[in-house]
Amino acid sequence: MRPRLTLVCTVVVALVSALLLWLGWLLVGGVARSVPSLPAGTTVRVGGVAIPAERLNEAIGAAARADVLRAGLIAFPLVVAAAAVVSWVLVGRVLGPLHAVTATARRLTVESLDTRTGLKDARGEVAELAAGFDAMLDRLQAAFDAQRRFVANASHELRTPLSVLRTEVDVTLADPTADVEELRRMASVVRDATRRADDLISGLLLLAHTEGAELADVRAVDLADVVVPALAAVRAEAGRRGLRTQLRAEPAPTRGDPVLLERVAGNLVENAVRHNVAGGWLEVSTGTTEDGVRLQVGSSGPEIPGDRVAELFEPFRRGPVARTANTPGSGLGLSIVRAVVQAHHGTVRADPVPGGGLMVTVQLPAG
């Protein structure tokens, strides 16, 4: 690019210089013709040559034009050469930051995404380009780091039930006196571990399918109708734990995928029951707001620091250990909720409840 830009600048300067030389040649000739006439029959020496007075204007014009051409033929190549040198230097200075950006891009690998251009003296559009490139690298590094954590956590979560399966089978096979009761116990453990692995894989597939995807089935949905089956599915567990359940289902019409929206309500209600405390409370409400429709699920539970609430929406984050130490789940519930809500062009937030617990609010566009 540098040679091409230098050539373009040099050609432009050459054309402008040629135009100025031609204009100067014309102007000098015009000025010479305006010299006052002398009496006829007299002679004037122009350039050491005797010229009749009748041809004085023509001779002066020709001599002036010749002087302009001689000076122009000397100055023209000098100006063009100077323009080429100056253009080469200035273009190099302008394109220098671009070379730095290109060099940074060539050095980038998955393991060196922390590399930045480091351009501090750039100005104008080049500075904006460098800043945009660095900002893109920041987003890429954050995405790759999140992907690494996700893969590591998924591998760990999948390894746990597989380790349980292998251990139970190995121990049972190594016991020659294992009776029917022992085999049934082993089968029960294997069934639970298999169910956990199946739930985890289903959650991972749903999360991968939902994140950044367009909705395939969009129709009218009322969130008030979605929360009813979600509460019915956890009514038995809530009764065993002595939870006080309250439902305020006002019409909340929206548009979206009914299956995914049912999954949002189901995950929120399941989390509220699963991570609750014995004898606690659970509140579910739907309704309309100025910005659309709302689904809100609140529950009691251990206190959660406000600065850690946002972490609960990350994959495999389960909150305080005391909250989930003895409860099932893969830690994907709120991650799936966030992915589905974003696919519906909505927002979701969580706020800690004074005294312990969590209030999750889903905001969706009105249908």
Side-chain angles (χ1 to χ4, degrees), residues 1-11 83-85 87-89 91-92:
M1 182 180 291
R2 186 179 186 183
R4 291 196 296 269
L5 290 177
T6 301
L7 178 61
V8 170
C9 294
T10 304
V11 170
V85 173
S87 299
W88 180 265
V89 174
V91 170

Short mmCIF file of all heavy atoms in Angstrom, two decimals, residues 1-11 83-85 87-89 91-92:
data_model
loop_
_atom_site.label_atom_id
_atom_site.label_comp_id
_atom_site.label_asym_id
_atom_site.label_seq_id
_atom_site.Cartn_x
_atom_site.Cartn_y
_atom_site.Cartn_z
N MET A 1 0.82 -1.21 0.00
CA MET A 1 0.00 0.00 0.00
C MET A 1 0.86 1.26 0.00
O MET A 1 0.50 2.25 -0.64
CB MET A 1 -0.93 -0.01 1.22
CG MET A 1 -1.86 1.20 1.28
SD MET A 1 -2.93 1.18 2.72
CE MET A 1 -4.00 -0.20 2.31
N ARG A 2 1.99 1.20 0.70
CA ARG A 2 2.85 2.39 0.77
C ARG A 2 3.36 2.82 -0.60
O ARG A 2 3.29 4.01 -0.94
CB ARG A 2 4.01 2.13 1.74
CG ARG A 2 4.86 3.36 2.00
CD ARG A 2 5.97 3.03 2.98
NE ARG A 2 6.73 4.21 3.37
CZ ARG A 2 7.79 4.17 4.17
NH1 ARG A 2 8.19 3.01 4.68
NH2 ARG A 2 8.43 5.28 4.47
N PRO A 3 3.89 1.90 -1.45
CA PRO A 3 4.32 2.34 -2.78
C PRO A 3 3.17 2.89 -3.63
O PRO A 3 3.36 3.87 -4.36
CB PRO A 3 4.90 1.06 -3.39
CG PRO A 3 5.28 0.21 -2.22
CD PRO A 3 4.25 0.50 -1.19
N ARG A 4 2.00 2.27 -3.54
CA ARG A 4 0.89 2.75 -4.35
C ARG A 4 0.46 4.15 -3.93
O ARG A 4 0.19 5.02 -4.77
CB ARG A 4 -0.29 1.77 -4.23
CG ARG A 4 -0.04 0.43 -4.91
CD ARG A 4 -1.33 -0.33 -5.10
NE ARG A 4 -1.94 -0.67 -3.82
CZ ARG A 4 -1.71 -1.80 -3.16
NH1 ARG A 4 -0.86 -2.70 -3.67
NH2 ARG A 4 -2.30 -2.05 -2.02
N LEU A 5 0.35 4.38 -2.61
CA LEU A 5 -0.04 5.72 -2.14
C LEU A 5 1.02 6.75 -2.51
O LEU A 5 0.69 7.89 -2.88
CB LEU A 5 -0.26 5.68 -0.62
CG LEU A 5 -1.50 4.93 -0.14
CD1 LEU A 5 -1.55 4.93 1.38
CD2 LEU A 5 -2.76 5.57 -0.71
N THR A 6 2.29 6.37 -2.42
CA THR A 6 3.36 7.29 -2.80
C THR A 6 3.28 7.63 -4.28
O THR A 6 3.44 8.79 -4.69
CB THR A 6 4.73 6.67 -2.48
OG1 THR A 6 4.80 6.39 -1.07
CG2 THR A 6 5.85 7.62 -2.84
N LEU A 7 3.02 6.62 -5.11
CA LEU A 7 2.89 6.86 -6.55
C LEU A 7 1.71 7.78 -6.84
O LEU A 7 1.81 8.70 -7.67
CB LEU A 7 2.74 5.53 -7.27
CG LEU A 7 2.55 5.60 -8.80
CD1 LEU A 7 3.76 6.27 -9.43
CD2 LEU A 7 2.32 4.23 -9.37
N VAL A 8 0.60 7.55 -6.18
CA VAL A 8 -0.58 8.40 -6.41
C VAL A 8 -0.27 9.85 -6.03
O VAL A 8 -0.59 10.78 -6.78
CB VAL A 8 -1.78 7.86 -5.61
CG1 VAL A 8 -2.92 8.87 -5.63
CG2 VAL A 8 -2.25 6.54 -6.19
N CYS A 9 0.34 10.05 -4.85
CA CYS A 9 0.66 11.42 -4.42
C CYS A 9 1.64 12.08 -5.39
O CYS A 9 1.50 13.27 -5.72
CB CYS A 9 1.25 11.39 -3.01
SG CYS A 9 0.09 10.85 -1.73
N THR A 10 2.64 11.31 -5.86
CA THR A 10 3.63 11.88 -6.79
C THR A 10 2.98 12.27 -8.11
O THR A 10 3.27 13.33 -8.68
CB THR A 10 4.76 10.86 -7.02
OG1 THR A 10 5.33 10.49 -5.76
CG2 THR A 10 5.83 11.45 -7.90
N VAL A 11 2.12 11.40 -8.62
CA VAL A 11 1.43 11.71 -9.89
C VAL A 11 0.56 12.96 -9.73
O VAL A 11 0.51 13.82 -10.62
CB VAL A 11 0.60 10.50 -10.34
CG1 VAL A 11 -0.31 10.87 -11.50
CG2 VAL A 11 1.52 9.35 -10.73
N ALA A 83 8.34 15.63 -3.98
CA ALA A 83 7.01 15.12 -3.62
C ALA A 83 7.05 13.62 -3.38
O ALA A 83 6.40 13.11 -2.46
CB ALA A 83 6.02 15.46 -4.73
N ALA A 84 7.81 12.90 -4.19
CA ALA A 84 7.91 11.45 -4.00
C ALA A 84 8.55 11.11 -2.65
O ALA A 84 8.08 10.23 -1.92
CB ALA A 84 8.72 10.83 -5.15
N VAL A 85 9.63 11.84 -2.32
CA VAL A 85 10.31 11.56 -1.05
C VAL A 85 9.41 11.90 0.13
O VAL A 85 9.27 11.12 1.09
CB VAL A 85 11.64 12.36 -0.98
CG1 VAL A 85 12.27 12.21 0.40
CG2 VAL A 85 12.59 11.87 -2.06
N SER A 87 6.15 12.17 0.18
CA SER A 87 5.00 11.24 0.23
C SER A 87 5.41 9.92 0.82
O SER A 87 4.67 9.34 1.63
CB SER A 87 4.44 11.05 -1.18
OG SER A 87 3.99 12.27 -1.72
N TRP A 88 6.57 9.42 0.44
CA TRP A 88 7.04 8.13 0.98
C TRP A 88 7.20 8.20 2.51
O TRP A 88 6.78 7.29 3.23
CB TRP A 88 8.36 7.77 0.32
CG TRP A 88 8.94 6.46 0.80
CD1 TRP A 88 9.86 6.30 1.80
CD2 TRP A 88 8.62 5.16 0.32
NE1 TRP A 88 10.14 4.98 1.96
CE2 TRP A 88 9.40 4.24 1.07
CE3 TRP A 88 7.78 4.68 -0.67
CZ2 TRP A 88 9.34 2.87 0.85
CZ3 TRP A 88 7.71 3.32 -0.89
CH2 TRP A 88 8.48 2.43 -0.14
N VAL A 89 7.76 9.32 2.98
CA VAL A 89 7.97 9.46 4.43
C VAL A 89 6.64 9.62 5.16
O VAL A 89 6.38 8.94 6.17
CB VAL A 89 8.90 10.65 4.71
CG1 VAL A 89 9.01 10.89 6.22
CG2 VAL A 89 10.28 10.38 4.12
N VAL A 91 3.53 8.87 4.16
CA VAL A 91 2.71 7.66 4.08
C VAL A 91 3.23 6.59 5.03
O VAL A 91 2.46 5.86 5.66
CB VAL A 91 2.66 7.15 2.63
CG1 VAL A 91 2.03 5.77 2.56
CG2 VAL A 91 1.89 8.12 1.76
N GLY A 92 4.56 6.51 5.14
CA GLY A 92 5.13 5.55 6.08
C GLY A 92 4.74 5.85 7.51
O GLY A 92 4.43 4.94 8.29
#
